[in-house]
């Protein structure tokens, strides 16, 4: 979902604006082994004086010939190449030059398929020496470290040019040509998003902590229609800081194997290519390329000093052409380093440029994330202002005046390399775009699509009330029949602390009106959403609605329209009336805790009858029962990354370790409670990366009901009746098929990132990826809660409910994701308890899951 947001915006912009044809021949000249661009390569039409040379990154541009010509491409140390060019040529050329066979220290590098051996290979031994010394240069081994960091993020549409209309009249979007910018490579882009930030980073080793003080930041562009903080979180993870001195490099929400990983010699081919001078230091050019070009590795070069320190002066990394990575047609990472007198490594630049393409024949998008570092120091200042930063709880501290810096101040602070040639600002462009009706309404539609809510003012910032969620307007179930729902809530424009929200719903089968009213007071000022991190609030809520027993979808709203399409009828539903008050406090260190008090009345229906055992086992039907419950919650989830919407936090990654524990209690006859009640649940969640071999998402939970209570208060496993893939639910289990008072469950999903399918010649072109799931539930029902013993106050279990044996319920699935870059399809089968009537033993489930 988080990645879908960015691509959805850019796709809509492409549809609205469109692209123009060009009459220039453009392309890239690369090394056939490493895939990196070759600077200053010569290109000339044979027999003419028309030619050009590539820029620093290997890009070139020259006019198309008027007739068929032979283009000659040459570069020192590489075989000359000749290509026939027609005058109607379209698209971009990718020219790969093969190095002339070179021998260096007994290592032969050849452009053709060579017999590569790790044994007695000096390049491999050279890399192993580098790996042994990589931590000795780490600046974070010092007691104190401080530096300034400038960051710029730029997104733009590639080679943009508006074509004039055939009738000569002005077009609605002709003004966009005024905002086109020219890159250093000579290519043109239309910037659509620009973010800049200047911050000071403070690090200390004991106690280990890091704080970032943002002194200035500015943002403008297409992300204004969505959560700008959420987009920033997403971009920070997609373009994460690259550290080649670690085993894994997180980038594009994946894990790449570093060329200096401890498994590097088993993953990469290394070549000692040449000696050169860089920053007045004699260096060796170490080339590398993965054994399998479809896996998540890099091609590129490391320029390493020819001394005992093995110090990296410069790194250039590219993604292989055949890599199983969506939307990325080209990427280059360039990093430069300086060393101190004691050989400590200081990064001075981290520059990532990416060309995205939604489809091969499109011009796509250009993205650049430039970081420049300066004012490095290991001396703790004599003044104590830096201690104020460490005293703050939040890891990122934004100064009050950080967003008010004028354009003139940014022009002074902005490095020359980050200055755009066009003097026009994106803010001006967005203002003009919104004056065009087709763009204005497209932007509104995108906002509603991704937020789920419709603003009541034409300017988003001035909307005090929002209507929604829109995907819950229409629904249905067996108890209510066709269901209509309408609702909404206030925004921070209404009040930054007090929020009011609610909904009404009506079922056309049961003819009952349902409703929810809530008021929440936030002790922290809210910027865009009530539920943005960190929350510290108190909430009052009154509810009357349907309760679907045994169906609790953990990652979506219960009234989501897509969930109303079921594989079987929902036959386990009640009505509930609930009034409650709750308190929640979230902290920057990942700890959160809450307390809630609620009075709960649940009503029986013909789908879920309450047949209560009395004295001597006499069964009496009850209309309802009452409980007054107190719930205590504790959660730890440090460094979680998520995209914040109005009502949901959509995880960007699952890397953070998450632990939670809840306890619910009630005392009989206190505030009308019908039973004594104690229930405890414990769980954890974590993603485990296996470097080049994918990753595993693990969710493990356990719980117990300690007291004697009727079945609606016991543990009801989550059954998934929809055709969508839903984590933490059981795809082929029926609601209330099992009822327990103690349980342990697991949900394991292994993503192999195409390691198997990439080896199948035809299939690997589809870039499909394997997904394997194994989930299960061990459950037990103790004698005190077994209605077969006719315990007073217990309810008779519904028909087709069973006790679980010693064997846990289990199901497994095999799936393929990345179908058309977006679809995941799983085949799921149930492994045991196959003799129960009315069950589904196997089935197909699907979901939309855009990924890189």
């Amino acid at each position: 979902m988080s990645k879908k947001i960015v691509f959805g915006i850019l796709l809509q912009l492409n549809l609205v604006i469109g692209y123009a044809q060009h009459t220039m021949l453009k392309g890239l000249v690369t090394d056939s082994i490493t895939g990196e661009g070759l600077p200053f390569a010569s290109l000339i039409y044979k027999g003419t004086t028309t030619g050009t040379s590539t820029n620093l990154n290997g890009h070139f541009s020259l006019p198309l010939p008027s007739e068929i010509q032979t283009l000659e491409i040459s570069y020192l140390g590489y075989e000359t190449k000749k290509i026939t060019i027609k005058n109607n040529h379209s698209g971009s050329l990718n020219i790969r030059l093969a190095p002339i066979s070179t021998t260096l220290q007994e290592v032969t590098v050849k452009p053709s398929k060579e017999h590569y051996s790790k044994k007695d290979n000096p390049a491999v031994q050279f890399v192993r020496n580098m790996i042994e010394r990589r931590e000795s240069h780490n600046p974070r081994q010092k007691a104190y470290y401080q530096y300034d960091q400038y960051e710029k993020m730029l997104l733009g549409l590639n080679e943009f040019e508006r074509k004039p209309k055939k009738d000569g009249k002005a077009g609605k979007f002709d003004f966009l040509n005024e905002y086109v910018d020219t890159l250093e490579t000579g290519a043109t882009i239309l910037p659509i998003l620009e973010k800049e930030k200047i911050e000071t980073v403070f690090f200390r080793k004991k106690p280990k902590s890091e704080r970032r003080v943002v002194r200035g930041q500015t943002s403008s562009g297409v992300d204004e229609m969505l959560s700008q903080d959420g987009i920033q979180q997403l971009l920070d993870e997609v373009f994460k800081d690259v550290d080649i001195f670690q085993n894994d490099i997180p980038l594009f929400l994946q894990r790449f194997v570093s060329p200096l990983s401890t498994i590097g010699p088993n993953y990469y081919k290394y070549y000692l290519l040449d000696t050169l001078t860089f920053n007045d230091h004699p260096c060796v050019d170490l080339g590398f390329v993965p054994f399998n070009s479809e896996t998540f590795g890099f091609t590129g070069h490391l320029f390493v000093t020819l001394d005992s320190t093995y110090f990296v002066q410069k790194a250039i990394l590219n993604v292989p052409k055949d890599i199983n990575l969506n939307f990325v047609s080209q990427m280059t990472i360039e990093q430069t380093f300086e060393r101190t007198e004691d050989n400590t490594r200081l990064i001075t630049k981290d520059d990532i440029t990416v060309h995205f393409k939604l489809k091969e024949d499109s011009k796509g998008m250009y993205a650049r994330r430039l970081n420049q570092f300066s004012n490095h120091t290991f001396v703790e200042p004599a003044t104590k202002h830096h201690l104020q930063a460490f005293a703050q709880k939040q890891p990122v501290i934004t100064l009050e005046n950080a967003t008010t810096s004028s354009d003139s101040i940014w022009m002074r602070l902005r490095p020359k390399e980050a200055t755009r040639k066009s003097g026009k600002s994106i803010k001006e462009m967005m203002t003009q775009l919104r004056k065009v009706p087709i763009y204005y309404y497209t932007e509104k539609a995108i906002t509603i699509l991704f937020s789920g809510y419709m603003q009541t003012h034409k300017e988003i910032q001035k909307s005090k009330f929002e209507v929604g969620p829109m995907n819950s307007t229409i629904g249905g179930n067996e108890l209510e029949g066709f269901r209509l729902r309408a609702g909404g809530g206030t925004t921070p424009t209404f009040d930054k602390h007090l929020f009011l929200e609610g909904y009404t719903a009506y079922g056309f089968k049961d003819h009952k009106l349902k409703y929810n009213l809530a008021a929440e007071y936030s002790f922290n000022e809210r910027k865009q959403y009530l539920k943005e991190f960190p929350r510290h609030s108190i909430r009052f809520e009154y509810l009357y609605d349907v309760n679907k027993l045994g169906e609790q979808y953990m990652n979506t709203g219960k009234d989501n329209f897509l969930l109303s399409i079921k594989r079987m009828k929902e036959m386990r539903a009640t009505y509930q009336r609930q009034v409650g008050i709750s308190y929640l406090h979230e902290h920057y260190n990942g700890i959160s805790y809450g307390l809630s008090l609620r009075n709960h009345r649940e009503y029986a229906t013909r789908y879920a009858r309450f047949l209560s055992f009395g004295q001597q086992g006499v069964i009496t039907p009850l209309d309802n029962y009452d409980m007054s419950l107190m719930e205590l919650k504790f959660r730890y989830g440090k460094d979680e990354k998520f995209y914040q919407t109005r009502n949901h936090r959509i995880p960007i990654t699952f890397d953070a370790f998450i632990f939670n524990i809840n306890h619910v209690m009630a005392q009989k006859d206190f505030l009308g409670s019908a039973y004594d009640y104690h229930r405890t649940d414990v769980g954890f969640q974590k993603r485990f990366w296996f470097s080049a071999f994918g990753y595993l998402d693990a969710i493990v939970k356990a719980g117990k009901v300690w007291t004697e209570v009727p079945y609606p208060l016991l543990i009801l496993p989550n059954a998934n009746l929809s055709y969508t893939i839903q984590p933490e639910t059981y795809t082929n289990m029926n609601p209330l098929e099992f009822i327990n008072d103690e349980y342990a469950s697991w949900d394991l999903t292994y993503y192999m990132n195409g390691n198997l399918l990439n080896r199948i010649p035809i299939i690997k072109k589809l870039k499909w990826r394997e997904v394997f799931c194994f989930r299960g539930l061990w459950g037990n029902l103790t004698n005190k809660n077994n209605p077969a013993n006719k315990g007073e106050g217990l309810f008779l279990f519904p028909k087709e409910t069973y006790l679980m044996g010693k064997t846990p319920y289990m199901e497994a699935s095999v799936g393929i994701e990345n179908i058309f870059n977006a679809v995941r399809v799983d085949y799921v089968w149930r492994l045991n308890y196959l003799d129960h009537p009315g069950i589904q033993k196997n089935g197909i489930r699907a979901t939309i899951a855009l990924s890189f």
Side-chain angles (χ1 to χ4, degrees):
M1 176 65 182
S2 55
K3 295 178 281 293
K4 181 180 176 183
I5 292 167
V6 174
F7 292 117
I9 298 169
L10 299 171
L11 178 60
Q12 289 291 337
L13 220 66
N14 280 325
L15 291 174
V16 171
I17 298 174
Y19 292 107
Q21 299 296 321
H22 57 85
T23 58
M24 298 292 288
L25 178 66
K26 297 184 179 182
L28 175 67
V29 179
T30 62
D31 183 310
S32 65
I33 295 178
T34 67
E36 74 160 70
L38 297 177
F40 310 116
S42 173
L43 300 98
I44 190 168
Y45 290 122
K46 188 175 181 180
T48 73
T49 58
T50 302
T52 187
S53 60
T54 60
N55 61 23
L56 289 172
N57 297 313
H59 292 276
F60 69 88
S61 175
L62 77 163
L64 278 170
S66 57
E67 55 187 16
I68 297 176
Q69 291 277 11
T70 299
L71 182 65
E72 223 174 49
I73 308 98
S74 58
Y75 191 71
L76 183 63
Y78 287 75
E79 301 284 353
T80 298
K81 193 167 189 175
K82 296 179 182 180
I83 300 175
T84 300
I85 303 296
K86 298 181 179 179
N87 56 1
N88 62 349
H89 180 88
S90 62
S92 180
L93 282 176
N94 190 350
I95 303 169
R96 304 176 72 182
L97 296 186
I100 298 172
S101 298
T102 305
T103 302
L104 178 62
Q105 298 184 16
E106 301 179 357
V107 179
T108 302
V109 181
K110 297 181 179 179
S112 58
K113 291 184 178 179
E114 87 278 18
H115 176 68
Y116 180 88
S117 175
K118 294 184 293 182
K119 186 177 180 181
D120 300 325
N121 188 331
V124 174
Q125 185 57 48
F126 188 87
V127 170
R128 286 180 174 144
N129 292 337
M130 293 178 65
I131 294 171
E132 288 177 3
R133 292 163 176 78
R134 65 185 188 180
E135 277 303 304
S136 62
H137 307 312
N138 189 349
R140 281 175 169 74
Q141 295 296 328
K142 302 285 188 179
Y144 180 82
Y145 182 33
Q146 176 183 326
Y147 58 90
D148 292 336
Q149 179 175 344
Y150 167 85
E151 179 184 77
K152 179 173 182 177
M153 183 70 216
L154 178 66
L155 290 177
L157 301 178
N158 268 331
E159 301 177 30
F160 179 85
E161 183 181 356
R162 286 294 302 166
K163 289 192 302 182
K165 287 187 173 183
K166 294 181 179 180
D167 57 9
K169 294 181 179 180
K172 295 178 180 178
F173 295 102
D174 286 353
F175 66 88
L176 290 173
N177 286 326
E178 301 174 17
Y179 297 92
V180 171
D181 200 25
T182 303
L183 304 175
E184 294 178 357
T185 62
T188 57
I189 65 166
L190 176 69
I192 59 173
L193 175 65
E194 187 174 53
K195 291 176 174 287
E196 289 183 284
K197 182 169 59 178
I198 296 176
E199 60 188 350
T200 301
V201 181
F202 300 92
F203 171 84
R204 66 181 178 191
K205 193 172 182 180
K206 292 183 179 180
K208 187 175 181 180
S209 56
E210 181 175 295
R211 295 291 183 269
R212 293 176 174 263
V213 178
V214 179
R215 308 194 329 259
Q217 63 181 9
T218 181
S219 176
S220 57
V222 294
D223 67 332
E224 295 171 11
M225 70 184 79
L226 300 172
S227 167
Q228 289 189 305
D229 287 345
I231 292 294
Q232 184 64 56
Q233 287 256 30
L234 176 61
L235 292 174
D236 287 344
E237 287 300 308
V238 172
F239 296 97
K240 207 172 180 71
D241 290 346
V242 172
D243 186 354
I244 63 171
F245 303 96
Q246 299 296 317
N247 289 330
D248 295 329
I249 296 175
L251 199 63
F252 301 119
L253 308 181
Q254 300 286 354
R255 283 289 196 278
F256 289 74
V257 179
S258 168
L260 296 180
S261 169
T262 52
I263 70 166
N266 298 317
Y267 188 85
Y268 284 100
K269 299 178 184 179
Y270 297 100
Y271 306 94
L272 295 171
L273 296 175
D274 201 356
T275 57
L276 48 84
T277 300
F278 186 83
N279 283 347
D280 298 325
H281 294 281
C283 295
V284 64
D285 179 0
L286 175 72
F288 52 88
V289 61
F291 282 100
N292 185 346
S293 62
E294 288 88 5
T295 56
F296 286 90
F298 298 100
T299 65
H301 294 258
L302 299 177
F303 301 98
V304 188
T305 55
L306 285 169
D307 56 31
S308 60
T309 65
Y310 292 89
F311 188 90
V312 178
Q313 293 279 349
K314 184 178 181 179
I316 299 176
L317 286 74
N318 306 282
V319 291
K321 180 181 178 181
D322 299 326
I323 190 172
N324 189 346
L325 188 67
N326 294 331
F327 312 115
V328 178
S329 64
Q330 180 188 337
M331 185 204 71
T332 300
I333 303 172
E334 181 180 336
Q335 294 185 332
T336 56
F337 304 91
E338 293 179 356
R339 63 174 172 177
T340 62
E341 292 182 359
D342 64 353
N343 294 317
T344 300
R345 179 177 60 244
L346 303 179
I347 187 169
T348 56
K349 184 173 77 169
D350 178 21
D351 193 1
I352 302 177
T353 57
V354 187
H355 290 272
F356 294 108
K357 286 188 177 181
L358 294 177
K359 54 183 182 178
E360 282 302 318
D361 58 350
S362 69
K363 295 180 182 177
M365 299 177 301
Y366 167 88
R368 184 185 188 189
R369 200 283 322 269
L370 171 66
N371 277 328
Q372 291 201 343
F373 307 86
S374 59
N375 301 325
H376 302 265
T377 180
F378 302 108
V379 179
E380 191 168 0
T383 58
K384 299 299 181 184
H385 69 279
H386 66 290
L387 294 178
Q388 297 176 2
F390 289 117
Q392 300 297 314
K393 296 179 180 179
Q394 62 266 43
V396 179
I397 303 137
T398 304
L399 300 182
E400 289 185 7
N401 60 349
T403 58
T404 58
S405 301
S406 64
D407 291 341
S408 59
I409 294 176
W410 278 105
M411 289 178 66
R412 177 171 53 85
L413 296 176
R414 184 180 296 124
K416 184 178 180 180
E417 190 174 355
T419 303
R420 290 196 293 112
K421 294 182 179 180
S422 171
K424 294 277 190 174
S425 71
I426 296 181
K427 287 183 180 179
E428 294 174 314
M429 183 186 76
M430 296 305 297
T431 300
Q432 283 189 265
L433 271 173
R434 291 182 180 119
K435 293 178 181 178
V436 181
I438 188 173
Y439 178 84
Y440 174 81
Y441 290 110
T442 299
E443 186 179 59
K444 289 293 183 185
I446 292 173
T447 303
I448 295 170
L449 175 66
F450 290 108
S451 71
Y453 283 78
M454 181 183 298
Q455 286 72 38
T456 53
H457 194 283
K458 70 176 185 177
E459 295 183 38
I460 296 176
Q461 297 81 0
K462 295 181 180 181
S463 182
K464 295 183 179 182
F465 186 86
E466 296 175 323
V467 178
M470 306 306 294
N471 62 5
S472 298
T473 303
I474 299 174
N477 55 73
E478 189 66 21
L479 181 60
E480 296 179 277
F482 181 68
R483 172 183 168 116
L484 286 178
R485 170 176 153 163
T490 63
T491 72
T493 306
F494 172 78
D495 193 287
K496 294 184 181 297
H497 294 278
L498 179 63
F499 293 82
L500 306 173
E501 57 186 11
Y503 67 81
T504 60
Y506 184 78
F508 286 80
K509 181 177 180 181
D510 64 355
H511 305 291
K512 288 181 179 289
L513 183 70
K514 293 87 181 175
Y515 46 86
N516 171 267
L517 297 171
E520 184 166 340
Y521 182 83
S522 173
F523 297 100
N524 303 327
E525 280 194 1
R526 307 285 79 186
K527 293 188 295 183
Q528 190 172 1
Y529 300 117
L530 166 63
K531 297 180 180 179
E532 63 195 26
F533 182 84
R535 289 179 70 185
H536 183 201
S537 63
I538 188 166
R539 180 181 179 89
F540 173 83
E541 189 165 10
Y542 186 83
L543 167 82
Y544 175 70
D545 208 338
V546 170
N547 182 28
K548 299 175 184 178
L549 299 176
E551 286 186 78
Q552 297 180 28
Y553 297 103
M554 312 297 291
N555 298 284
T556 185
K558 65 177 182 178
D559 290 335
N560 190 313
F561 171 73
L562 292 177
L563 298 183
S564 64
I565 305 171
K566 307 288 187 180
R567 60 178 170 86
M568 63 179 291
K569 292 182 178 180
E570 296 174 301
M571 305 300 290
R572 309 298 189 199
T574 64
Y575 296 107
Q576 62 176 342
R577 189 182 302 277
Q578 187 169 282
V579 58
I581 186 170
S582 59
Y583 170 81
L584 177 64
H585 196 176
E586 296 178 329
H587 296 268
Y588 286 103
N589 59 8
I591 291 175
S592 64
Y593 43 82
L595 169 67
S596 64
L597 302 170
R598 61 182 182 269
N599 182 267
H600 174 91
R601 171 172 288 186
E602 189 155 21
Y603 298 88
T605 68
R606 59 194 174 106
Y607 299 110
R609 302 179 66 191
F610 298 163
L611 302 176
S612 176
F613 287 98
Q615 295 181 357
Q616 285 92 40
V618 176
I619 297 177
T620 303
L622 296 182
D623 179 64
N624 62 73
Y625 72 92
D626 293 324
M627 295 294 291
S628 290
L629 302 163
M630 180 171 71
E631 182 173 8
L632 301 171
K633 296 181 178 181
F634 176 85
R635 188 175 190 273
Y636 178 78
K638 186 173 173 56
D639 297 328
E640 287 183 89
K641 304 296 181 184
F642 48 78
Y643 178 86
Q644 178 73 62
T645 67
R646 195 181 195 280
N647 288 326
H648 298 285
R649 290 176 178 175
I650 302 167
I652 297 173
T653 71
F654 292 96
D655 293 343
F657 172 77
I658 298 173
F659 169 81
N660 56 73
I661 180 169
N662 295 355
H663 185 75
V664 185
M665 66 187 81
Q667 184 176 337
K668 186 176 180 179
D669 298 328
F670 180 73
L671 297 178
S673 288
Y675 306 93
D676 288 323
Y677 186 59
H678 285 276
R679 172 175 173 168
T680 305
D681 290 271
V682 179
F684 83 83
Q685 178 176 330
K686 183 76 175 76
R687 173 169 290 178
F688 299 92
W689 286 91
F690 305 125
S691 194
F693 306 102
Y695 56 90
L696 173 75
D697 284 346
I699 304 172
V700 178
K701 292 184 175 181
K704 182 177 178 64
V705 174
W706 306 89
T707 50
E708 184 179 349
V709 289
Y711 78 82
L713 295 172
L714 295 178
I715 294 162
L716 312 178
N718 290 332
N720 178 15
L721 299 188
S722 76
Y723 290 99
T724 63
I725 298 170
Q726 295 289 334
E728 301 186 64
T729 64
Y730 299 98
T731 302
N732 293 328
M733 183 188 290
N734 293 344
L736 272 60
E737 183 179 349
F738 299 100
I739 297 178
N740 311 298
D741 60 8
E742 50 189 17
Y743 78 100
S745 67
W746 66 91
D747 190 329
L748 308 176
T749 306
Y750 178 37
Y751 300 84
M752 284 195 70
N753 277 346
N755 274 289
L756 294 178
L757 297 177
N758 284 341
R759 288 170 166 76
I760 303 175
I762 298 177
I763 297 296
K764 72 178 184 179
K765 294 182 178 181
L766 300 173
K767 295 188 175 182
W768 288 353
R769 302 170 188 166
E770 321 84 351
V771 184
F772 302 95
C773 298
F774 178 51
R775 61 181 68 92
L777 171 80
W778 172 86
N780 181 52
L781 185 70
T782 58
N783 288 331
K784 67 178 179 293
N785 284 314
N786 190 339
N789 298 323
K790 301 182 179 180
E792 188 174 345
L794 298 184
F795 294 173
L796 188 67
F797 280 2
K799 292 182 179 180
E800 298 177 355
T801 294
Y802 304 90
L803 298 183
M804 192 172 292
K806 295 182 179 180
T807 304
Y809 171 87
M810 295 177 290
E811 59 186 32
S813 68
V814 175
I816 297 176
E817 65 170 350
N818 207 40
I819 301 171
F820 306 117
N821 303 131
V823 178
R824 171 181 162 187
V825 177
D826 284 7
Y827 179 79
V828 190
W829 66 95
R830 179 167 166 155
L831 301 179
N832 54 0
Y833 298 101
L834 302 178
D835 57 340
H836 292 179
I839 63 168
Q840 185 178 63
K841 296 181 180 180
N842 48 61
I844 295 176
R845 302 292 181 268
T847 190
I848 301 295
L850 272 167
S851 63
F852 284 103

